[in-house]
Amino acid sequence: MKIATITYSWAQNWGAALQAYALVEYLNSQGHSAKLIDYREFDGKLISTVKSVPDGIYDLLTLPESIRRVKKYINFRKDYFKLTEKCNTTDELEKLNGQFDAFITGSDQVWNVGHGVNRDFYLQFVRSDKRRISYAASFGVSDIPNIHRRDTIEGLGNISYISVREKTGKELIKKMTGQDSAVVLDPVFLLSPKHWEAMMGSITEKSPYIFVYPTQISKTLRKCIRRLKKMTGLPIITPFFIEGCKTVKDIGPLEFITYIKKAEYVVATSFHATAFSVIFEKPLYVVTHSQTGSRTTDLLEQLGLEDCILHNENEIGKCCWNYQDKKSIIQKKISESKAFLSQALS
C-alpha cells in the first residue's frame, strides 16, 4: 500500500525527527511504500531550542556549534527521510490524494492546541475514499480548552482509525466524542534496539557521564542532578546551559541517541529521552514537566517503570530499573502497537 505520513518533520527537535523517521522506516519494512510528507520549511534557525535566558545567551556565544547542529539535522533529513515533494499549504497537501492510498497523522504532539488546532494534522486535506489513520498522536496535555474543543472534535471525526500515545489522550477523546481509541507506543519503539545502535553517531566523550535532557529546567531538576552528580562523582553533559554542567550544542538526531546509549545515567523531562532510555535499558530518572508531564508518566506507567519518576532530590538512589522483569510488558505493548497498524492498513 502507498502510505503518506504527516508529523512535525520540520522541527529542530531530536525526538520529533527520530519518530518521524521511525514510522516510515517501519512501514516500509512491512512491505508498504511509505513516505513522510515534506510538510512546511525546515526550521534552520541557529537559535531555536532555547530553554532559559542563560541558555539563549550561551547559544549566542557558541554559534559555530549551533551551525554544526543545524547541518546535522539537514544531513539527517537528507540521509534518512523518504520525503514527498514539499507541501507548505493545504492546497499542496490535497494534491497528494492522487499518489497515496492511506494517510497517517502522528506521532508526537500533532494535536497540541498551544498554537490552535492544525487541521492538516487531522487529515482534513484527505479525500473520504482514502484510508485516514492516526498513529500515536499526542495532545501533549490532559485537557483541551473550550475555545478549541469544537475544532478538535470535528478533526477527530475525520479519522477512521484512531490511536493515541497516552492514556490521557484516550480519555480526552472519550470525554469529547464518546469514541474509543487505541493507546499505542511511539514509533521509536517499532524499531529494534539493534536498528538504533547501527545508526549511532560519533561523540568525543570517552569517560563515564550523566546525560541530562530537560524540556523544562526547574528547581527540582537542578537539585536532582546536583544530588546525582555528588553521589556518583560523574560529570553531567546536556544540550542546554545548566550551571555546573558541560553544555554540548552541536548534537544532531544521531548524536542524541548516542549520548543516551553511552550514558551511565539519564535524567530527563523529555518524552523521547525517556523512550530511548527504555529502549537501551539505561538507568533513568524522570523529572516531569509541569504542564506536559503526562506524556512521560503515561509511558512509564504503561511499561511498569513509574519508579523512575522523581518528585524531589531525596528519591535519587531509590529507583530500581528492572528492565529484565519488564521485557514481557514492553514486548506486549510493541506487538499491540504493530497489530493496530496492521489492522488499520489491512
Side-chain angles (χ1 to χ4, degrees):
M1 184 177 288
K2 293 182 179 180
I3 306 165
T5 68
I6 185 169
T7 185
Y8 283 112
S9 57
W10 74 85
Q12 263 193 76
N13 178 284
W14 300 285
L18 293 163
Q19 62 84 23
Y21 158 77
L23 182 55
V24 173
E25 179 70 12
Y26 173 73
L27 291 169
N28 284 323
S29 75
Q30 299 304 296
H32 298 290
S33 177
K35 286 186 177 182
L36 171 65
I37 297 174
D38 193 356
Y39 180 63
R40 294 173 52 171
E41 293 286 349
F42 169 65
D43 174 16
K45 295 191 294 292
L46 296 181
I47 301 176
S48 65
T49 58
V50 174
K51 297 299 179 188
S52 65
V53 172
D55 189 48
I57 295 170
Y58 194 87
D59 260 11
L60 291 172
L61 296 173
T62 57
L63 282 179
E65 288 189 39
S66 296
I67 291 170
R68 290 197 295 272
R69 182 188 68 242
V70 171
K71 286 182 178 178
K72 287 175 180 178
Y73 273 99
I74 292 171
N75 289 335
F76 181 80
R77 288 167 59 84
K78 179 181 176 182
D79 295 342
Y80 290 99
F81 281 2
K82 295 178 174 65
L83 295 168
T84 67
E85 58 268 30
K86 196 177 294 294
C87 296
N88 291 322
T89 67
T90 300
D91 288 342
E92 290 171 339
L93 288 167
E94 288 175 350
K95 294 177 183 178
L96 297 175
N97 281 281
Q99 301 176 36
F100 296 97
D101 308 304
F103 292 80
I104 300 177
T105 181
S107 170
D108 222 356
Q109 297 181 63
V110 289
W111 294 342
N112 191 314
V113 297
H115 297 288
V117 174
N118 186 328
R119 296 176 184 273
D120 294 335
F121 284 143
Y122 284 98
L123 304 179
Q124 293 190 347
F125 64 90
V126 180
R127 295 201 313 250
S128 59
D129 61 320
K130 302 293 181 179
R131 206 168 286 246
R132 292 161 293 176
I133 302 162
S134 73
Y135 182 80
S138 175
F139 292 100
V141 293
S142 55
D143 195 25
I144 303 294
N146 289 333
I147 191 173
H148 297 306
R149 286 209 167 198
R150 181 175 178 179
D151 288 341
T152 300
I153 292 168
E154 181 183 330
L156 290 167
N158 195 56
I159 298 172
S160 306
Y161 302 88
I162 300 177
S163 70
V164 290
R165 201 174 63 182
E166 296 101 16
K167 68 177 183 180
T168 49
K170 177 184 177 73
E171 291 164 359
L172 267 176
I173 292 171
K174 185 70 172 178
K175 181 180 178 180
M176 289 188 293
T177 70
Q179 279 184 278
D180 286 321
S181 54
V183 178
V184 296
L185 293 179
D186 188 270
V188 298
F189 285 97
L190 300 177
L191 305 180
S192 69
K194 288 185 178 180
H195 185 109
W196 291 117
E197 288 168 13
M199 292 173 63
M200 290 197 306
S202 60
I203 61 174
T204 58
E205 200 66 39
K206 302 298 182 184
S207 57
Y209 60 87
I210 302 162
F211 184 66
V212 175
Y213 180 28
T215 52
Q216 182 182 57
I217 302 173
S218 62
K219 289 182 179 179
T220 301
L221 176 81
R222 288 191 177 97
K223 289 179 180 179
C224 287
I225 61 177
R226 281 199 297 266
R227 174 67 67 88
L228 184 59
K229 182 179 181 180
K230 184 177 180 180
M231 286 179 58
T232 63
L234 297 176
I236 294 174
I237 295 177
T238 176
F240 307 108
F241 179 81
I242 303 174
E243 187 177 351
C245 305
K246 178 182 177 181
T247 305
V248 183
K249 283 289 183 181
D250 62 349
I251 297 177
L254 300 183
E255 290 75 25
F256 174 73
I257 58 176
T258 308
Y259 272 111
I260 292 175
K261 170 63 179 176
K262 294 187 176 182
E264 294 295 311
Y265 296 89
V266 178
V267 182
T269 58
S270 152
F271 176 90
H272 282 104
T274 300
F276 277 104
S277 296
V278 173
I279 288 169
F280 293 138
E281 299 184 356
K282 306 304 296 185
L284 167 69
Y285 292 109
V286 172
V287 179
T288 56
H289 193 288
S290 62
Q291 294 176 311
T292 59
S294 61
R295 295 178 298 157
T296 49
T297 55
D298 279 3
L299 172 65
L300 293 171
E301 287 171 1
Q302 280 187 69
L303 304 179
L305 294 168
E306 57 267 39
D307 284 350
C308 295
I309 300 169
L310 295 178
H311 301 95
N312 58 68
E313 71 275 18
N314 296 321
E315 294 177 339
I316 289 283
K318 296 181 180 178
C319 295
C320 184
W321 302 281
N322 291 321
Y323 286 111
Q324 292 300 317
D325 294 344
K326 307 302 181 185
K327 274 195 173 182
S328 61
I329 298 174
I330 295 170
Q331 288 303 317
K332 182 172 183 273
K333 292 293 183 183
I334 292 172
S335 296
E336 290 172 352
S337 301
K338 291 178 176 180
F340 171 84
L341 277 172
S342 178
Q343 183 177 3
L345 292 167
S346 65

PDB file of all heavy atoms in Angstrom, residues 217-239:
ATOM      1  N   ILE A 217      13.728  23.421  32.691  1.00  0.00           N
ATOM      2  CA  ILE A 217      14.795  23.465  33.694  1.00  0.00           C
ATOM      3  C   ILE A 217      14.205  24.034  34.986  1.00  0.00           C
ATOM      4  O   ILE A 217      14.144  25.240  35.189  1.00  0.00           O
ATOM      5  CB  ILE A 217      15.979  24.308  33.192  1.00  0.00           C
ATOM      6  CG1 ILE A 217      16.517  23.726  31.877  1.00  0.00           C
ATOM      7  CG2 ILE A 217      17.092  24.326  34.242  1.00  0.00           C
ATOM      8  CD1 ILE A 217      17.585  24.584  31.217  1.00  0.00           C
ATOM      9  N   SER A 218      13.776  23.148  35.848  1.00  0.00           N
ATOM     10  CA  SER A 218      13.102  23.538  37.085  1.00  0.00           C
ATOM     11  C   SER A 218      14.054  23.444  38.271  1.00  0.00           C
ATOM     12  O   SER A 218      15.152  22.872  38.182  1.00  0.00           O
ATOM     13  CB  SER A 218      11.907  22.623  37.339  1.00  0.00           C
ATOM     14  OG  SER A 218      12.352  21.277  37.514  1.00  0.00           O
ATOM     15  N   LYS A 219      13.625  23.984  39.412  1.00  0.00           N
ATOM     16  CA  LYS A 219      14.421  23.881  40.640  1.00  0.00           C
ATOM     17  C   LYS A 219      14.595  22.421  41.042  1.00  0.00           C
ATOM     18  O   LYS A 219      15.663  22.007  41.496  1.00  0.00           O
ATOM     19  CB  LYS A 219      13.749  24.664  41.769  1.00  0.00           C
ATOM     20  CG  LYS A 219      13.817  26.177  41.614  1.00  0.00           C
ATOM     21  CD  LYS A 219      13.170  26.871  42.802  1.00  0.00           C
ATOM     22  CE  LYS A 219      13.244  28.389  42.663  1.00  0.00           C
ATOM     23  NZ  LYS A 219      12.589  29.087  43.802  1.00  0.00           N
ATOM     24  N   THR A 220      13.519  21.642  40.874  1.00  0.00           N
ATOM     25  CA  THR A 220      13.597  20.217  41.219  1.00  0.00           C
ATOM     26  C   THR A 220      14.632  19.509  40.365  1.00  0.00           C
ATOM     27  O   THR A 220      15.423  18.700  40.871  1.00  0.00           O
ATOM     28  CB  THR A 220      12.224  19.548  41.045  1.00  0.00           C
ATOM     29  OG1 THR A 220      11.269  20.196  41.882  1.00  0.00           O
ATOM     30  CG2 THR A 220      12.285  18.070  41.388  1.00  0.00           C
ATOM     31  N   LEU A 221      14.644  19.808  39.072  1.00  0.00           N
ATOM     32  CA  LEU A 221      15.629  19.190  38.183  1.00  0.00           C
ATOM     33  C   LEU A 221      17.043  19.553  38.620  1.00  0.00           C
ATOM     34  O   LEU A 221      17.913  18.677  38.722  1.00  0.00           O
ATOM     35  CB  LEU A 221      15.398  19.648  36.737  1.00  0.00           C
ATOM     36  CG  LEU A 221      16.441  19.115  35.751  1.00  0.00           C
ATOM     37  CD1 LEU A 221      16.097  17.688  35.349  1.00  0.00           C
ATOM     38  CD2 LEU A 221      16.562  19.992  34.520  1.00  0.00           C
ATOM     39  N   ARG A 222      17.288  20.825  38.898  1.00  0.00           N
ATOM     40  CA  ARG A 222      18.628  21.246  39.312  1.00  0.00           C
ATOM     41  C   ARG A 222      19.071  20.526  40.581  1.00  0.00           C
ATOM     42  O   ARG A 222      20.212  20.070  40.687  1.00  0.00           O
ATOM     43  CB  ARG A 222      18.646  22.767  39.528  1.00  0.00           C
ATOM     44  CG  ARG A 222      18.579  23.597  38.254  1.00  0.00           C
ATOM     45  CD  ARG A 222      18.867  25.059  38.572  1.00  0.00           C
ATOM     46  NE  ARG A 222      18.873  25.877  37.374  1.00  0.00           N
ATOM     47  CZ  ARG A 222      17.832  26.583  36.948  1.00  0.00           C
ATOM     48  NH1 ARG A 222      16.686  26.550  37.627  1.00  0.00           N
ATOM     49  NH2 ARG A 222      17.909  27.322  35.859  1.00  0.00           N
ATOM     50  N   LYS A 223      18.172  20.435  41.558  1.00  0.00           N
ATOM     51  CA  LYS A 223      18.512  19.756  42.807  1.00  0.00           C
ATOM     52  C   LYS A 223      18.800  18.273  42.566  1.00  0.00           C
ATOM     53  O   LYS A 223      19.722  17.706  43.165  1.00  0.00           O
ATOM     54  CB  LYS A 223      17.372  19.907  43.808  1.00  0.00           C
ATOM     55  CG  LYS A 223      17.211  21.317  44.368  1.00  0.00           C
ATOM     56  CD  LYS A 223      16.038  21.387  45.332  1.00  0.00           C
ATOM     57  CE  LYS A 223      15.858  22.795  45.900  1.00  0.00           C
ATOM     58  NZ  LYS A 223      14.696  22.857  46.818  1.00  0.00           N
ATOM     59  N   CYS A 224      18.012  17.644  41.698  1.00  0.00           N
ATOM     60  CA  CYS A 224      18.186  16.211  41.430  1.00  0.00           C
ATOM     61  C   CYS A 224      19.514  15.925  40.750  1.00  0.00           C
ATOM     62  O   CYS A 224      20.218  14.969  41.116  1.00  0.00           O
ATOM     63  CB  CYS A 224      17.029  15.692  40.584  1.00  0.00           C
ATOM     64  SG  CYS A 224      15.466  15.543  41.490  1.00  0.00           S
ATOM     65  N   ILE A 225      19.876  16.736  39.758  1.00  0.00           N
ATOM     66  CA  ILE A 225      21.122  16.441  39.053  1.00  0.00           C
ATOM     67  C   ILE A 225      22.340  16.768  39.922  1.00  0.00           C
ATOM     68  O   ILE A 225      23.374  16.094  39.825  1.00  0.00           O
ATOM     69  CB  ILE A 225      21.198  17.149  37.677  1.00  0.00           C
ATOM     70  CG1 ILE A 225      21.138  18.671  37.806  1.00  0.00           C
ATOM     71  CG2 ILE A 225      20.104  16.639  36.765  1.00  0.00           C
ATOM     72  CD1 ILE A 225      21.289  19.391  36.478  1.00  0.00           C
ATOM     73  N   ARG A 226      22.210  17.774  40.789  1.00  0.00           N
ATOM     74  CA  ARG A 226      23.312  18.053  41.722  1.00  0.00           C
ATOM     75  C   ARG A 226      23.517  16.881  42.670  1.00  0.00           C
ATOM     76  O   ARG A 226      24.646  16.487  42.968  1.00  0.00           O
ATOM     77  CB  ARG A 226      23.037  19.340  42.504  1.00  0.00           C
ATOM     78  CG  ARG A 226      23.320  20.619  41.738  1.00  0.00           C
ATOM     79  CD  ARG A 226      23.489  21.811  42.671  1.00  0.00           C
ATOM     80  NE  ARG A 226      22.275  22.103  43.428  1.00  0.00           N
ATOM     81  CZ  ARG A 226      21.358  22.986  43.045  1.00  0.00           C
ATOM     82  NH1 ARG A 226      21.507  23.663  41.914  1.00  0.00           N
ATOM     83  NH2 ARG A 226      20.292  23.214  43.801  1.00  0.00           N
ATOM     84  N   ARG A 227      22.405  16.322  43.168  1.00  0.00           N
ATOM     85  CA  ARG A 227      22.488  15.179  44.081  1.00  0.00           C
ATOM     86  C   ARG A 227      23.102  13.963  43.377  1.00  0.00           C
ATOM     87  O   ARG A 227      23.964  13.281  43.940  1.00  0.00           O
ATOM     88  CB  ARG A 227      21.085  14.851  44.605  1.00  0.00           C
ATOM     89  CG  ARG A 227      21.006  13.575  45.460  1.00  0.00           C
ATOM     90  CD  ARG A 227      21.746  13.721  46.787  1.00  0.00           C
ATOM     91  NE  ARG A 227      21.112  14.687  47.652  1.00  0.00           N
ATOM     92  CZ  ARG A 227      20.141  14.397  48.515  1.00  0.00           C
ATOM     93  NH1 ARG A 227      19.700  13.146  48.621  1.00  0.00           N
ATOM     94  NH2 ARG A 227      19.628  15.337  49.283  1.00  0.00           N
ATOM     95  N   LEU A 228      22.661  13.692  42.149  1.00  0.00           N
ATOM     96  CA  LEU A 228      23.176  12.536  41.420  1.00  0.00           C
ATOM     97  C   LEU A 228      24.658  12.716  41.098  1.00  0.00           C
ATOM     98  O   LEU A 228      25.444  11.771  41.197  1.00  0.00           O
ATOM     99  CB  LEU A 228      22.376  12.331  40.128  1.00  0.00           C
ATOM    100  CG  LEU A 228      22.727  11.093  39.296  1.00  0.00           C
ATOM    101  CD1 LEU A 228      22.528   9.818  40.119  1.00  0.00           C
ATOM    102  CD2 LEU A 228      21.885  11.034  38.025  1.00  0.00           C
ATOM    103  N   LYS A 229      25.055  13.936  40.738  1.00  0.00           N
ATOM    104  CA  LYS A 229      26.462  14.215  40.448  1.00  0.00           C
ATOM    105  C   LYS A 229      27.316  13.989  41.696  1.00  0.00           C
ATOM    106  O   LYS A 229      28.408  13.401  41.622  1.00  0.00           O
ATOM    107  CB  LYS A 229      26.608  15.648  39.947  1.00  0.00           C
ATOM    108  CG  LYS A 229      28.032  16.035  39.564  1.00  0.00           C
ATOM    109  CD  LYS A 229      28.089  17.468  39.057  1.00  0.00           C
ATOM    110  CE  LYS A 229      29.504  17.861  38.659  1.00  0.00           C
ATOM    111  NZ  LYS A 229      29.559  19.262  38.162  1.00  0.00           N
ATOM    112  N   LYS A 230      26.836  14.436  42.841  1.00  0.00           N
ATOM    113  CA  LYS A 230      27.568  14.279  44.099  1.00  0.00           C
ATOM    114  C   LYS A 230      27.666  12.805  44.484  1.00  0.00           C
ATOM    115  O   LYS A 230      28.718  12.342  44.951  1.00  0.00           O
ATOM    116  CB  LYS A 230      26.870  15.066  45.200  1.00  0.00           C
ATOM    117  CG  LYS A 230      27.602  15.042  46.533  1.00  0.00           C
ATOM    118  CD  LYS A 230      26.886  15.912  47.564  1.00  0.00           C
ATOM    119  CE  LYS A 230      27.622  15.901  48.900  1.00  0.00           C
ATOM    120  NZ  LYS A 230      26.931  16.754  49.913  1.00  0.00           N
ATOM    121  N   MET A 231      26.574  12.054  44.293  1.00  0.00           N
ATOM    122  CA  MET A 231      26.559  10.634  44.670  1.00  0.00           C
ATOM    123  C   MET A 231      27.476   9.789  43.799  1.00  0.00           C
ATOM    124  O   MET A 231      28.112   8.853  44.268  1.00  0.00           O
ATOM    125  CB  MET A 231      25.130  10.093  44.587  1.00  0.00           C
ATOM    126  CG  MET A 231      24.213  10.542  45.707  1.00  0.00           C
ATOM    127  SD  MET A 231      22.529   9.883  45.504  1.00  0.00           S
ATOM    128  CE  MET A 231      22.845   8.134  45.485  1.00  0.00           C
ATOM    129  N   THR A 232      27.519  10.114  42.500  1.00  0.00           N
ATOM    130  CA  THR A 232      28.257   9.264  41.557  1.00  0.00           C
ATOM    131  C   THR A 232      29.647   9.776  41.237  1.00  0.00           C
ATOM    132  O   THR A 232      30.512   9.003  40.798  1.00  0.00           O
ATOM    133  CB  THR A 232      27.476   9.150  40.234  1.00  0.00           C
ATOM    134  OG1 THR A 232      27.373  10.460  39.635  1.00  0.00           O
ATOM    135  CG2 THR A 232      26.089   8.581  40.461  1.00  0.00           C
ATOM    136  N   GLY A 233      29.885  11.083  41.414  1.00  0.00           N
ATOM    137  CA  GLY A 233      31.162  11.673  41.032  1.00  0.00           C
ATOM    138  C   GLY A 233      31.325  11.827  39.533  1.00  0.00           C
ATOM    139  O   GLY A 233      32.429  12.123  39.043  1.00  0.00           O
ATOM    140  N   LEU A 234      30.233  11.645  38.784  1.00  0.00           N
ATOM    141  CA  LEU A 234      30.307  11.713  37.324  1.00  0.00           C
ATOM    142  C   LEU A 234      29.965  13.112  36.811  1.00  0.00           C
ATOM    143  O   LEU A 234      29.120  13.799  37.384  1.00  0.00           O
ATOM    144  CB  LEU A 234      29.328  10.707  36.701  1.00  0.00           C
ATOM    145  CG  LEU A 234      29.591   9.227  36.993  1.00  0.00           C
ATOM    146  CD1 LEU A 234      28.477   8.373  36.400  1.00  0.00           C
ATOM    147  CD2 LEU A 234      30.942   8.800  36.429  1.00  0.00           C
ATOM    148  N   PRO A 235      30.597  13.532  35.712  1.00  0.00           N
ATOM    149  CA  PRO A 235      30.251  14.814  35.105  1.00  0.00           C
ATOM    150  C   PRO A 235      28.891  14.716  34.392  1.00  0.00           C
ATOM    151  O   PRO A 235      28.438  13.621  34.053  1.00  0.00           O
ATOM    152  CB  PRO A 235      31.374  15.047  34.093  1.00  0.00           C
ATOM    153  CG  PRO A 235      31.821  13.665  33.721  1.00  0.00           C
ATOM    154  CD  PRO A 235      31.680  12.839  34.972  1.00  0.00           C
ATOM    155  N   ILE A 236      28.279  15.873  34.171  1.00  0.00           N
ATOM    156  CA  ILE A 236      26.979  15.932  33.509  1.00  0.00           C
ATOM    157  C   ILE A 236      27.130  16.585  32.147  1.00  0.00           C
ATOM    158  O   ILE A 236      27.763  17.631  32.007  1.00  0.00           O
ATOM    159  CB  ILE A 236      25.966  16.721  34.353  1.00  0.00           C
ATOM    160  CG1 ILE A 236      25.675  15.979  35.655  1.00  0.00           C
ATOM    161  CG2 ILE A 236      24.669  16.955  33.578  1.00  0.00           C
ATOM    162  CD1 ILE A 236      24.801  16.747  36.621  1.00  0.00           C
ATOM    163  N   ILE A 237      26.548  15.947  31.141  1.00  0.00           N
ATOM    164  CA  ILE A 237      26.509  16.503  29.786  1.00  0.00           C
ATOM    165  C   ILE A 237      25.063  16.795  29.432  1.00  0.00           C
ATOM    166  O   ILE A 237      24.174  15.966  29.676  1.00  0.00           O
ATOM    167  CB  ILE A 237      27.126  15.524  28.772  1.00  0.00           C
ATOM    168  CG1 ILE A 237      28.606  15.330  29.069  1.00  0.00           C
ATOM    169  CG2 ILE A 237      26.931  16.030  27.342  1.00  0.00           C
ATOM    170  CD1 ILE A 237      29.283  14.321  28.177  1.00  0.00           C
ATOM    171  N   THR A 238      24.807  17.956  28.843  1.00  0.00           N
ATOM    172  CA  THR A 238      23.446  18.353  28.487  1.00  0.00           C
ATOM    173  C   THR A 238      23.478  19.248  27.255  1.00  0.00           C
ATOM    174  O   THR A 238      24.465  19.956  27.021  1.00  0.00           O
ATOM    175  CB  THR A 238      22.769  19.098  29.656  1.00  0.00           C
ATOM    176  OG1 THR A 238      21.482  19.558  29.247  1.00  0.00           O
ATOM    177  CG2 THR A 238      23.593  20.279  30.111  1.00  0.00           C
ATOM    178  N   PRO A 239      22.420  19.230  26.446  1.00  0.00           N
ATOM    179  CA  PRO A 239      22.369  20.124  25.279  1.00  0.00           C
ATOM    180  C   PRO A 239      22.011  21.562  25.647  1.00  0.00           C
ATOM    181  O   PRO A 239      22.049  22.438  24.781  1.00  0.00           O
ATOM    182  CB  PRO A 239      21.255  19.513  24.406  1.00  0.00           C
ATOM    183  CG  PRO A 239      20.939  18.190  25.000  1.00  0.00           C
ATOM    184  CD  PRO A 239      21.301  18.272  26.437  1.00  0.00           C
TER     185      PRO A 239
END
